[in-house]
Amino acid sequence: MPEAADGRAQTTSRREQLLAIAAEQFATKGYKFTTVRDIAEAAGILSGSLYHHFDSKESMVDEVLRTFQAELFGRYEAILASDADARTKLEQAVEVSFETIDRHPHEVAIFQNEAAHLGAFERFAYLAERNRESRAVWITLLEDGVRAGALRAELDVELTYRFIRDTVWVAVAWYRPGGRRSHTEVARQYLTILLDGIAAREES
Amino acid sequence: MPEAADGRAQTTSRREQLLAIAAEQFATKGYKFTTVRDIAEAAGILSGSLYHHFDSKESMVDEVLRTFQAELFGRYEAILASDADARTKLEQAVEVSFETIDRHPHEVAIFQNEAAHLGAFERFAYLAERNRESRAVWITLLEDGVRAGALRAELDVELTYRFIRDTVWVAVAWYRPGGRRSHTEVARQYLTILLDGIAAREES
DNA sequence: GTCTATACGGCGATAGAC
DNA sequence: GTCTATCGCCGTATAGAC
């Protein structure tokens, strides 16, 4: 990652490298369990040197989460704005989510594991805001689905939203990029369960 | 809780009281974020006094988790051993899980949030063992369901197990005992989604 | 069974040399 | 941009009086 063979833009700045290293540590050991000395060591420098690049350990998670969320929500908005039918949009939202787990597993893990704690500080108030946005996206998708007749009418939309959100994001705990199942495959299987259930259909 | 009006066993020992207080703190703030001074203060004593009852902060989580797991797995075993049909057993396992969230929300939360970190230490090796046991329970239920013709034959059992486990336990993050939906109601709704899916059935 | 007092270590962060 | 050195704080845990 650090070197580009040809002369083309080697855009990964030192700052971004360090953030990527920090993100990996935060994701695997947890934010609180990761010391600035851990991050520095993984980067091959000493802890004091980190403060040339960042104000504090807190600033590091902050930047990691902000960047990640901006990208993710950009993609959700694109889906909402498209003119696909309700069921397709729902499927796309699920696919984008699993793709995000595939591409940014560390960032997703940090968000999953630390958002609750961090959200308590004013600095991280945007996390709660993003949570509300996310809920709005899924609820809209589900309600549109019901209205269009694609989803069952008696659906408890609120509960369904929670189940979807939980299952999709918690998958970061076991999904391994480059593993046996691709993110596309996982999304497809998941959608089958979600849409059609696991029970055998009785022939009528 | 501390007092029993009649002469009958007032079984909540001081030890159990302290453990309950610790569990609540661990669950809401996280194990690492909870200091022994926090626990002591919540109990109305000083931190040094805690060490009259327990070796260490670690011993406290340990005891909380061990007790909880023993009870939960006892219930799973009872279901497996019963002579109900495959679909009923699966439903019962889901119901027991939500009931456990209702009765022991703190313990479930601690297990959910801390098991990954704690599992690294030999002292908590049993957490990984319980995880394997849990997987065995669900996989058995699912495979029996497929064999009995109650569940779809093409089911990816491994993936389905993960989705069930994730959704059921993560519900501890939002389920509130005594709230608007009872655990029985949540379990029922969840089973509908899981078994029959959320898509409208096309009339054949 | 609880308190007072305190040890010991590791953490985040800073100042200034190179 | 990194290193050396170090500060101040807060965490767990201990020893012994009451």
Side-chain angles (χ1 to χ4, degrees):
Chain A
M1 221 177 255
E3 295 299 313
D6 56 13
R8 215 162 35 81
Q10 180 238 344
T11 37
T12 7
S13 69
R14 184 77 176 124
R15 184 183 191 79
E16 284 164 342
Q17 286 175 29
L18 292 172
L19 278 182
I21 290 167
E24 175 166 4
Q25 309 251 333
F26 290 153
T28 49
K29 290 192 302 216
Y31 172 70
K32 187 83 175 187
F33 289 81
T34 304
T35 70
V36 292
R37 301 200 217 308
D38 287 339
I39 302 171
E41 189 188 16
I45 59 179
L46 290 190
S47 69
S49 309
L50 266 185
Y51 289 84
H52 177 71
H53 303 276
F54 304 96
D55 276 14
S56 63
K57 180 179 152 187
E58 209 177 84
S59 299
M60 294 188 226
V61 224
D62 192 28
E63 191 163 337
V64 168
L65 287 175
R66 286 199 128 91
T67 312
F68 162 66
Q69 302 255 26
E71 179 187 331
L72 175 61
F73 281 83
R75 302 199 63 184
Y76 281 155
E77 293 308 327
I79 292 171
L80 279 183
S82 83
D83 53 1
D85 64 79
R87 171 157 174 156
T88 305
K89 283 186 181 180
L90 183 65
E91 290 178 357
Q92 287 174 342
V94 168
E95 284 156 4
V96 158
S97 304
F98 281 108
E99 192 187 332
T100 300
I101 292 178
D102 183 69
R103 292 201 191 161
H104 303 292
H106 300 327
E107 286 79 357
V108 173
I110 296 170
F111 182 60
Q112 277 293 105
N113 299 328
E114 320 288 349
H117 304 304
L118 295 175
F121 307 94
E122 326 80 68
R123 171 167 201 172
F124 294 96
Y126 65 93
L127 290 175
E129 176 52 34
R130 289 298 198 182
N131 239 323
R132 275 189 292 276
E133 270 185 71
S134 158
R135 178 177 175 285
V137 169
W138 289 105
I139 296 275
T140 303
L141 290 172
L142 290 171
E143 285 177 346
D144 287 356
V146 170
R147 211 167 307 140
L151 303 182
R152 288 196 280 108
E154 351 78 61
L155 216 60
D156 182 328
V157 171
E158 182 68 31
L159 213 53
T160 307
Y161 148 66
R162 289 178 179 165
F163 285 132
I164 294 179
R165 177 198 58 184
D166 292 349
T167 351
V168 165
W169 293 122
V170 172
V172 75
W174 55 263
Y175 176 79
R176 291 291 159 263
R180 205 146 41 86
R181 296 176 178 82
S182 70
H183 67 89
T184 339
E185 170 67 8
V186 173
R188 204 185 55 74
Q189 294 258 15
Y190 173 66
L191 280 167
T192 305
I193 297 176
L194 178 68
L195 291 166
D196 297 330
I198 68 173
R201 302 247 168 149
E202 65 276 8
E203 27 267 278
S204 49
Chain B
M1 224 177 253
E3 296 300 312
D6 56 13
R8 218 163 31 79
Q10 179 240 343
T11 37
T12 5
S13 67
R14 183 79 175 122
R15 185 184 191 79
E16 283 164 341
Q17 286 176 28
L18 292 172
L19 278 182
I21 290 168
E24 174 166 3
Q25 308 253 330
F26 291 153
T28 50
K29 290 192 300 217
Y31 172 70
K32 188 85 176 186
F33 288 82
T34 303
T35 70
V36 292
R37 298 198 232 267
D38 289 338
I39 302 171
E41 189 186 17
I45 57 178
L46 290 190
S47 68
S49 310
L50 266 184
Y51 289 84
H52 175 72
H53 304 275
F54 304 96
D55 276 18
S56 64
K57 179 179 154 186
E58 211 177 83
S59 299
M60 293 187 227
V61 225
D62 192 26
E63 192 163 335
V64 168
L65 288 175
R66 287 198 126 93
T67 311
F68 162 67
Q69 301 254 27
E71 179 185 332
L72 175 61
F73 280 84
R75 303 199 63 182
Y76 281 155
E77 292 309 327
I79 292 172
L80 279 183
S82 83
D83 53 1
D85 64 78
R87 169 153 174 161
T88 305
K89 283 186 182 182
L90 184 65
E91 291 178 356
Q92 286 175 342
V94 168
E95 285 157 5
V96 158
S97 304
F98 281 109
E99 193 187 331
T100 300
I101 292 178
D102 183 67
R103 293 201 192 159
H104 304 293
H106 300 325
E107 287 78 356
V108 173
I110 296 169
F111 181 60
Q112 277 294 104
N113 300 327
E114 319 290 349
H117 304 304
L118 295 176
F121 306 94
E122 328 81 66
R123 169 166 204 172
F124 294 97
Y126 66 93
L127 290 175
E129 176 51 35
R130 289 299 198 181
N131 239 322
R132 274 189 294 277
E133 270 183 73
S134 157
R135 178 177 174 284
V137 169
W138 288 106
I139 297 275
T140 302
L141 290 171
L142 290 171
E143 284 176 348
D144 287 356
V146 170
R147 211 167 307 140
L151 304 182
R152 288 197 279 109
E154 351 78 60
L155 216 61
D156 183 328
V157 171
E158 182 68 32
L159 214 55
T160 307
Y161 148 65
R162 288 176 180 166
F163 285 132
I164 294 179
R165 178 198 57 185
D166 293 349
T167 355
V168 165
W169 293 123
V170 172
V172 77
W174 56 263
Y175 176 79
R176 290 292 159 262
R180 207 147 38 86
R181 296 175 179 84
S182 70
H183 67 90
T184 338
E185 171 67 8
V186 173
R188 204 185 55 73
Q189 294 257 15
Y190 172 66
L191 280 167
T192 305
I193 297 176
L194 177 68
L195 291 165
D196 298 330
I198 69 173
R201 303 247 168 148
E202 65 278 8
E203 27 267 277
S204 49

